[in-house]
Amino acid sequence: MTPRYYVLDVERADVAADFPANRVLRLNPVRVVPHFKSKTLIFRVGENEYKAVEPHQFLVDPEVMFTNILKRWLQKSGQFSKVVTDDSVPADFTMDAAVTAFYGEKRPAYSPQSVIEMQFFMTAADNPEKLLFQTGLRVDVDIEQATPSNVVTGWKEGTEELLTTLEQDLSAYFAKVDAR
């Protein structure tokens, strides 16, 4: 079978108008839990059964893909003056993120969906033990049919919704911190 390649390309529509002067975020590489880490698309086909959908796969490793998406989104969000992935660059905050669900729903008793779930943790860069912000977000996007192309399109929509919510949650967090 000839491989079919996909890219999850998620961009924030526009760049925020205002950015804080000195609020640098170090983004650690996004982790994807082992059972969804494969470049091959995964469908859930039973209660505890998942299936790799050969030959449909991502062009790049999902961890690299999600790290790039999250970095670009947060850089445009206006929540940080700069988002870096280099450990040698001084930062005020460190964010860890994990993809904990990432599959196409194809169980007979369920409507077809693209499922994505992520966890986010932000600490002070100078005190990694001090958790400042934490959230877990899950989006189930209804799709017409559980085909690889539809599932990837649903993941794009779900990731946009998830990152929009993350940005709103970060904005609320920093509004409280800045008000002190």
Side-chain angles (χ1 to χ4, degrees), residues 55-75:
H56 300 275
Q57 57 188 319
F58 287 109
L59 195 56
V60 297
D61 179 278
E63 291 185 337
V64 172
M65 185 174 60
F66 277 107
T67 301
N68 288 332
I69 289 169
L70 185 56
K71 181 181 183 207
R72 286 193 322 258
W73 189 284
L74 291 174
Q75 186 64 60

Side-chain angles (χ1 to χ4, degrees), residues 75-180:
Q75 186 64 60
K76 291 180 173 183
S77 72
Q79 301 305 312
F80 304 96
S81 53
K82 187 190 234 181
V83 179
V84 299
T85 52
D86 183 350
D87 286 350
S88 67
V89 176
D92 304 296
F93 303 96
T94 300
M95 181 175 284
D96 288 287
V99 176
T100 51
F102 186 49
Y103 60 88
E105 178 63 75
K106 198 172 181 171
R107 290 180 286 177
Y110 293 82
S111 62
Q113 293 181 317
S114 297
V115 177
I116 182 160
E117 180 179 80
M118 293 183 75
Q119 308 290 322
F120 301 92
F121 306 91
M122 189 172 69
T123 59
D126 61 354
N127 185 359
E129 302 301 311
K130 185 176 182 186
L131 185 61
L132 303 173
F133 172 88
Q134 167 184 354
T135 191
L137 303 167
R138 177 183 169 117
V139 179
D140 298 0
V141 177
D142 290 326
I143 54 177
E144 195 172 307
Q145 194 178 2
T147 64
S149 182
N150 285 352
V151 168
V152 172
T153 300
W155 282 330
K156 179 182 188 313
E157 184 182 318
T159 303
E160 287 171 355
E161 184 179 327
L162 194 143
L163 294 178
T164 298
T165 303
L166 171 66
E167 182 179 330
Q168 291 166 348
D169 291 352
L170 284 168
S171 180
Y173 167 77
F174 285 119
K176 284 182 196 169
V177 169
D178 294 344
R180 288 183 203 154

Side-chain angles (χ1 to χ4, degrees), residues 25-39:
L25 174 71
R26 176 179 306 112
L27 177 62
N28 287 329
V30 174
R31 293 184 324 277
V32 177
V33 294
H35 41 284
F36 299 122
K37 193 174 182 171
S38 169
K39 285 172 75 172

Side-chain angles (χ1 to χ4, degrees), residues 30-50:
V30 174
R31 293 184 324 277
V32 177
V33 294
H35 41 284
F36 299 122
K37 193 174 182 171
S38 169
K39 285 172 75 172
T40 303
L41 304 188
I42 305 291
F43 280 15
R44 185 173 186 179
V45 296
E47 188 56 38
N48 297 306
E49 186 181 353
Y50 293 82

